[in-house]
Amino acid sequence: MSISVNKNPMEFHLFNQKISYIIRVDEETGEVLSCYFGKHIQHKDSYSYLSEKIERPCTTSLVEGNHKSSLEFMRREYPDFGHGDFRTAAFDIHTEVSGSICEFKYVGYNLFKGRKAVQGKPHLRIENEKDAETLEIILVDAVSKVRMILTYLILEESASVVRSVRFVNEGKKPVIIKKAMSFSMDFRDKDYKMLSLSGTWARERHIEKSLLHPGVQSVYSTRGTSGHTFNPFFALMKENAEEYQGEVYGFSLLYSGNFLGLIDVDTFETARVMMGIHPQDFSWKLNTSEEFETPECIMTYSSTGLNDLSQELHKIIMKHIVREEHRQDIRPVLINNWEATYFDFNEEKIIDFAEEAATLGFDLFVLDDGWFEGRNDDTTSLSDWNPDLSKLPEGISGLSRKVKEMGISFGLWFEPEMVSKGTNIFETHPEYLVGHPMRKRTHGRNQYVLDFSNDEVVELVFGMMEKILTESEISYIKWDMNRSITEAWSMNLPAERQGEFYHRYIMGVYKLYEKLIDAFPEVLFESCASGGGRFDPGMLYYAPQTWASDDTDAWERVKIQYGTSVVYPLKTIGTHVSAVPNHQVGRITSLKARNETAYFGSFGYEMDITKMSEEEKNQVRKHILFFKEKRQLIQHGDLYRLLSPFEGNIASWMVLSKDQKEGLVYICQALAIPNAPQIRIKLKGLNEKSKYQVVGSDHWHYGDELMYLGILFNEHYFESADNVQFVLNHDFRTYLLEIKEI
Ligand code: GLA
């Protein structure tokens, strides 16, 4: 890994063994230009040929008499608006003197090992200076004296560059930042498919692909959370790129609030790509000497397809985003009472439930919504975080101790950012609610949002949670967030600073996480937002696992987990077995299919185990035992997606240990097909020359056979290495194959 600098004119080449990222400063105009991001190339002492200049009609020029100096055709690293570039701008700054006209010109750069310290927000954790290098490119607007620092971080081992931008006001007057994307970059061509992860409640992170077309295409959230609709991620795949071939770029934003990821294809087929805080309702007042820093965006490249890109992202998330304590840990097999009881429980029921859970082999019992005063439905009590003694006479402290005595840990649900009508905060501190005092407040799930942009609110909620955590034996918290933000107004901010609300809100959320983690470092957090409505790397920085979806139907989960795995490691994905008919789609699938699907994540249950027959309980026991045997492999192995549920009737993936000695292959066929054709599923990642046995079969195969010939599968029989078994034909059938090197 290195950052090479050519000095006349200035050119920067960031590279490691996998990638190169080249930027140059235009000698005439001082513009910072995008030159190259892709597979590693050797360093050269000049890249002037990479900023092709061209004269075209109907343009404006920066340099008098030089018609080739139009910004309209330059490929730019962080483009402004107003000097002849009519494409989407990466930023917008208003000064008192000249409105939105600014001219940021290159003045210098800094290079250093590691990275600068960052406080109070998610960022790439670089614990060892040797792992990364940072380049800062500094530009200044001579009139306002605002400095803009474009930051690029390159890692030794990852095919990624991490970008962000910092603005420092060194002038005498305040300025207003109206838009500040985390990065922008102009690609040479537009011949890509855009892949996004989109959906809604109960249908999160489905894979969508579409060819780039002239004009703007985007993914975004304006909900205050990263949201169900689009994940803060998109990929660009060369037209021929697939899972295991072709060039793919991924862009993943470390942020949990409003975001925009945008591609603007111009008429000359340049694709401008950017991502950052959504400019809708955003503005930030920057007084003299103040700084504003954008969230970080991870830009990743692969020359060998989407699966390799995913593995790169998984590594960077597990190594540089998730807290150190949770990188190699073993996540508990949990059981949550939500779908088993909803709000209808008392201590007796919970004790029976937890006792059963302990005998079945669960590690952790989680008490979900409904444990606090008066919370018998979703209309009341949020923010009154006092245990409901009519349901739980000994409170959470008594209950948690009893559960712990059974030999399993205790976890608790909170929705810290919310308030219901009639609660103490609602009645006594209306100024703590988000919304304008003279305007109507829209409710969502009968609840209102607390103003987390106000430190007092964060402190108050921390105090309430701290009390319960201190009094009780709590080893896990499920932090939920069940509505989007509307009427975004903080009574703690002056009118001209209301554009800061959304960002200050999410910074308040991060602050509460930090305070809780500081005070209770041993607690495992799982984030949640009506299922998977805030599944993003920003959340994973604090809470190392995220509840993927309220939809736990096996086949729906195949799609959700498959899509989620494009960015997120299996260990970060909360996956549960629930009852049938499924509560979201009414589908009936076997206990086997539900378990085998849920194995591939941070595994758990949320169904009434006390109502199961002995036969079913035995099955549950076996499933938990099997998962525990394989947990290390599943949660720390490499993932290979084999067949996509978005493209056919059969979905398949496998995990393989890092030493390639042990694998687990998952196959799910949605609908049974009578008299079906034979299908061979080709495995990935094995050592070609090693001999592997499919557990249960007497025969072995070389790795190359399993990868290039594949394993025969059809719905009437299933051949595990020549061992043909007859299986009953039915819908939503899953198969697991264990592969071992011999
Ligand atoms: C959300 C979550 C569920 C559950 C309920 C409780 O919908 O996604 O898992 O916790 O809230 O109200």
Side-chain angles (χ1 to χ4, degrees):
M1 163 198 61
S2 180
I3 301 177
S4 293
V5 181
N6 297 332
K7 290 218 163 128
N8 197 14
M10 297 306 301
E11 293 174 338
F12 304 95
H13 181 184
L14 298 86
F15 62 88
N16 58 27
Q17 285 182 352
K18 296 178 176 171
I19 52 160
S20 279
Y21 192 110
I22 302 173
I23 311 153
R24 71 189 306 270
V25 181
D26 183 58
E27 27 307 48
E28 272 180 310
T29 58
E31 281 298 315
V32 183
L33 303 178
S34 305
C35 292
Y36 175 74
F37 177 33
K39 204 173 167 75
H40 171 246
I41 53 175
Q42 294 166 65
H43 184 68
K44 228 172 147 188
D45 55 12
S46 169
Y47 290 109
S48 57
Y49 74 100
L50 287 179
S51 47
E52 307 90 343
K53 291 212 179 143
I54 191 160
E55 184 174 336
R56 292 187 190 271
C58 269
T59 61
T60 58
S61 306
L62 271 191
V63 181
E64 209 173 324
N66 177 353
H67 300 296
K68 288 185 180 169
S69 66
S70 174
L71 291 180
E72 196 164 348
F73 321 117
M74 290 191 194
R75 285 195 309 277
R76 309 175 70 197
E77 271 301 271
Y78 201 66
D80 62 359
F81 176 77
H83 301 285
D85 184 342
F86 303 99
R87 297 164 289 184
T88 307
F91 70 97
D92 184 7
I93 293 187
H94 280 230
T95 65
E96 214 179 278
V97 212
S98 58
S100 65
I101 306 172
C102 292
E103 243 183 316
F104 283 89
K105 294 295 170 205
Y106 173 83
V107 295
Y109 71 97
N110 293 319
L111 271 188
F112 49 89
K113 294 247 170 278
R115 66 162 307 151
K116 279 196 176 145
V118 182
Q119 297 299 327
K121 64 172 194 180
H123 59 275
L124 229 70
R125 300 177 197 263
I126 304 293
E127 280 118 15
N128 192 335
E129 248 198 6
K130 289 203 305 286
D131 290 347
E133 263 187 71
T134 303
L135 164 69
E136 293 182 339
I137 298 186
I138 304 160
L139 298 97
V140 170
D141 174 43
V143 175
S144 65
K145 305 271 188 306
V146 173
R147 255 171 194 259
M148 173 198 277
I149 298 128
L150 308 181
T151 304
Y152 300 77
L153 182 143
I154 184 159
L155 292 151
E156 172 73 39
E157 282 173 5
S158 167
S160 306
V161 168
V162 182
R163 285 188 58 183
S164 60
V165 182
R166 197 162 84 243
F167 294 93
V168 186
N169 187 356
E170 293 179 348
K172 293 207 164 68
K173 297 264 171 65
V175 299
I176 309 289
I177 304 172
K178 297 184 90 176
K179 179 180 186 180
M181 303 308 273
S182 294
F183 85 96
S184 180
M185 188 190 158
D186 287 349
F187 278 66
R188 245 156 229 284
D189 66 339
K190 61 143 194 33
D191 301 325
Y192 296 94
K193 290 172 277 195
M194 177 186 188
L195 178 150
S196 63
L197 301 175
S198 63
T200 180
W201 175 81
R203 189 155 53 71
E204 294 91 339
R205 290 172 300 286
H206 281 208
I207 293 180
E208 291 289 341
K209 289 182 197 163
S210 54
L211 273 182
L212 291 191
H213 56 79
V216 168
Q217 38 248 282
S218 68
V219 291
Y220 66 93
S221 168
T222 50
R223 296 171 175 275
T225 57
S226 48
H228 297 89
T229 320
F230 294 109
N231 201 253
F233 168 83
F234 62 92
L236 289 184
M237 304 175 68
K238 267 279 164 210
E239 279 172 314
N240 67 344
E242 296 298 342
E243 270 307 315
Y244 294 97
Q245 67 170 47
E247 290 190 286
V248 186
Y249 296 86
F251 307 93
S252 172
L253 191 69
L254 271 92
Y255 195 56
S256 314
N258 290 348
F259 73 92
L260 173 66
L262 178 146
I263 304 164
D264 185 355
V265 175
D266 73 14
T267 191
F268 304 110
E269 304 193 346
T270 302
R272 172 164 294 173
V273 179
M274 60 179 71
M275 178 117 90
I277 294 177
H278 202 301
Q280 174 74 50
D281 267 13
F282 173 80
S283 67
W284 196 274
K285 185 173 181 194
L286 203 63
N287 288 319
T288 303
S289 308
E290 282 180 355
E291 295 193 6
F292 178 82
E293 194 167 15
T294 69
E296 295 179 1
C297 189
I298 307 170
M299 307 167 70
T300 308
Y301 169 80
S302 169
S303 59
T304 54
L306 188 64
N307 205 85
D308 183 52
L309 185 95
S310 298
Q311 289 192 357
E312 287 288 334
L313 284 163
H314 295 177
K315 276 184 230 149
I316 206 168
I317 288 173
M318 285 318 292
K319 234 182 131 179
H320 296 285
I321 293 179
V322 164
R323 287 169 59 210
E324 202 169 355
E325 296 84 327
H326 294 297
R327 292 181 196 159
Q328 293 304 321
D329 63 342
I330 286 296
R331 299 286 163 78
V333 177
L334 69 83
I335 181 148
N336 174 306
N337 71 311
W338 178 241
E339 286 205 1
T341 64
Y342 293 106
F343 296 102
D344 182 17
F345 60 83
N346 55 27
E347 188 175 283
E348 206 186 328
K349 213 171 188 174
I350 294 300
I351 291 288
D352 282 354
F353 197 85
E355 262 168 359
E356 194 63 70
T359 63
L360 292 180
F362 288 96
D363 302 316
L364 165 70
F365 165 75
V366 179
L367 184 62
D368 210 280
D369 196 355
W371 57 266
F372 42 99
E373 265 172 354
R375 179 80 167 171
N376 293 318
D377 57 38
D378 65 15
T379 61
T380 78
S381 308
L382 293 166
S383 80
D384 276 347
W385 298 112
N386 306 311
D388 188 335
L389 299 181
S390 68
K391 283 182 185 171
L392 309 170
E394 293 179 46
I396 293 297
S397 65
L399 177 65
S400 63
R401 281 195 175 85
K402 285 184 189 163
V403 170
K404 207 173 167 208
E405 276 160 23
M406 295 168 195
I408 60 172
S409 326
F410 180 85
L412 194 62
W413 179 96
F414 278 98
E415 198 175 354
E417 297 150 77
M418 294 296 147
V419 57
S420 307
K421 238 182 191 156
T423 54
N424 185 30
I425 294 186
F426 190 92
E427 297 301 333
T428 57
H429 284 291
E431 76 281 12
Y432 285 174
L433 271 68
V434 173
H436 193 282
M438 288 158 71
R439 300 209 178 259
K440 184 179 139 139
R441 282 192 181 95
T442 310
H443 68 90
R445 209 197 188 200
N446 306 301
Q447 63 199 45
Y448 301 88
V449 185
L450 285 175
D451 179 5
F452 264 50
S453 75
N454 181 346
D455 278 354
E456 261 174 52
V457 175
V458 173
E459 290 298 333
L460 183 71
V461 176
F462 172 71
M464 292 190 278
M465 293 178 78
E466 184 193 29
K467 180 167 183 292
I468 292 174
L469 281 156
T470 311
E471 289 169 357
S472 317
E473 296 282 349
I474 295 175
S475 68
Y476 162 107
I477 287 180
K478 177 174 171 186
W479 176 326
D480 209 338
M481 199 291 187
N482 281 314
R483 62 157 291 184
S484 302
I485 297 176
T486 51
E487 294 89 25
W489 185 276
S490 165
M491 281 189 247
N492 194 42
L493 288 171
E496 82 273 9
R497 297 200 87 138
Q498 291 296 333
E500 297 174 20
F501 169 76
Y502 282 114
H503 184 62
R504 287 188 183 276
Y505 177 91
I506 202 68
M507 294 300 278
V509 171
Y510 294 149
K511 183 174 221 164
L512 182 55
Y513 262 117
E514 293 204 343
K515 287 179 75 70
L516 288 167
I517 289 169
D518 279 354
F520 306 98
E522 67 295 341
V523 170
L524 170 68
F525 286 87
E526 177 153 354
S527 77
C528 170
S530 302
R534 200 159 61 180
F535 202 139
D536 58 66
M539 279 291 119
L540 291 177
Y541 182 90
Y542 298 106
Q545 60 191 60
T546 304
W547 180 224
S549 177
D550 279 344
D551 197 337
T552 39
D553 167 69
W555 179 245
E556 293 306 314
R557 269 307 184 113
V558 169
K559 291 184 272 182
I560 292 167
Q561 292 168 210
Y562 191 97
T564 305
S565 80
V566 169
V567 184
Y568 305 99
L570 296 187
K571 195 176 174 182
T572 66
I573 307 175
T575 51
H576 294 178
V577 174
S578 63
V580 288
N582 174 266
H583 293 195
Q584 285 71 38
V585 290
R587 189 173 289 140
I588 296 183
T589 54
S590 68
L591 191 57
K592 175 177 182 293
R594 281 172 278 149
N595 273 279
E596 291 181 352
T597 308
Y599 284 165
F600 293 87
S602 276
F603 174 68
Y605 266 59
E606 60 177 279
M607 62 189 288
D608 196 347
I609 43 170
T610 61
K611 296 212 177 96
M612 284 180 159
S613 67
E614 279 312 308
E615 161 59 23
E616 281 174 320
K617 284 182 193 168
N618 279 335
Q619 283 187 43
V620 173
R621 236 177 242 117
K622 281 189 194 146
H623 283 297
I624 294 175
L625 267 179
F626 180 82
F627 174 76
K628 286 186 174 173
E629 259 171 46
K630 298 288 171 194
R631 174 161 52 180
Q632 188 68 28
L633 166 67
I634 294 171
Q635 299 190 343
H636 299 136
D638 290 331
L639 176 77
Y640 294 88
R641 289 180 297 267
L642 305 177
L643 292 173
S644 168
F646 300 103
E647 289 168 16
N649 193 35
I650 300 177
S652 178
W653 58 66
M654 65 181 276
V655 281
L656 186 65
S657 60
K658 300 262 183 233
D659 61 7
Q660 299 166 293
K661 288 184 192 302
E662 197 194 348
L664 191 63
V665 182
Y666 168 89
I667 303 161
C668 179
Q669 173 163 288
L671 296 184
I673 298 173
N675 206 9
Q678 292 188 340
I679 289 173
R680 279 192 172 270
I681 296 181
K682 294 177 179 171
L683 308 191
K684 294 281 176 190
L686 302 173
N687 189 341
E688 288 183 353
K689 297 209 164 68
S690 296
K691 293 174 179 173
Y692 292 95
Q693 187 161 26
V694 178
V695 174
S697 144
D698 299 335
H699 300 273
W700 59 264
H701 290 290
Y702 284 115
D704 54 9
E705 288 176 81
L706 293 172
M707 291 194 291
Y708 310 137
L709 261 157
I711 282 185
L712 183 65
F713 165 83
N714 89 2
E715 66 179 26
H716 292 295
Y717 56 88
F718 182 47
E719 177 208 61
S720 0
D722 297 342
N723 177 17
V724 177
Q725 313 163 352
F726 183 79
V727 293
L728 209 64
N729 180 16
H730 65 72
D731 294 345
F732 311 111
R733 195 176 174 95
T734 56
Y735 305 86
L736 270 195
L737 283 185
E738 296 173 63
I739 314 263
K740 286 220 160 88
E741 193 191 63
I742 48 171

